[in-house]
Amino acid sequence: VCYVEEDPDAVTWHPRVAGGDKTFVLRVVGDSMLPDYPPGRLIFVDPERAPENGDDVIAVLTETDEATFKRLVEEPGSGRMLKAINPAWHQTYIPINGNCRIIGVVVADMRLR
């Protein structure tokens, strides 16, 4: 999704709570997934898990090369879409029509205190 620091001393390490060997952790930025995932929440992403309807996913939008965190939904007649779960979000749905690549499924989240 972004640059990854390879120096073990420069990285904050978190225990893997779920997922496969390639599971990685991201910190939520923005409020499109409120109230379930506030900014700063850690999410564990499994790139080897196949995404299913209703899964929260990380996708890269091919037109802008930006990563986004949304819910994958399939609705009859509308096809597959990425959905922001925040009801106040300005663009609730992003239709998937070859414009994105899903790179992983969120398998857990953690709130640090």
Side-chain angles (χ1 to χ4, degrees), residues 6-7 23 25 34 52 68 76 87:
E6 294 183 19
D7 178 2
T23 295
V25 178
L34 284 173
E52 297 180 7
T68 188

Side-chain angles (χ1 to χ4, degrees), residues 22-26 43-47 57-58 103-108:
K22 295 184 179 180
T23 295
F24 57 93
V25 178
L26 295 175
I43 54 175
F44 293 77
V45 182
D46 187 344
V57 300
I58 303 298
I103 62 166
V105 175
V106 175
V107 293

Side-chain angles (χ1 to χ4, degrees), residues 2 11 16 24 30 33 63 79-80 83 85 88 92 95 101:
C2 61
V11 174
R16 184 175 60 224
F24 57 93
M33 295 297 280
E63 298 158 355
R80 296 175 83 185
K83 178 183 179 184
I85 61 173
T92 305
R101 180 175 85 252

Side-chain angles (χ1 to χ4, degrees), residues 31-77:
D31 56 2
S32 70
M33 295 297 280
L34 284 173
D36 293 359
Y37 303 97
R41 176 75 48 95
L42 297 178
I43 54 175
F44 293 77
V45 182
D46 187 344
E48 298 177 312
R49 182 169 161 187
E52 297 180 7
N53 185 33
D55 283 342
D56 296 328
V57 300
I58 303 298
V60 173
L61 303 175
T62 55
E63 298 158 355
T64 60
D65 207 29
E66 286 184 28
T68 188
F69 173 37
K70 301 287 186 281
R71 182 159 292 159
L72 177 65
V73 295
E74 291 186 60
E75 298 196 3

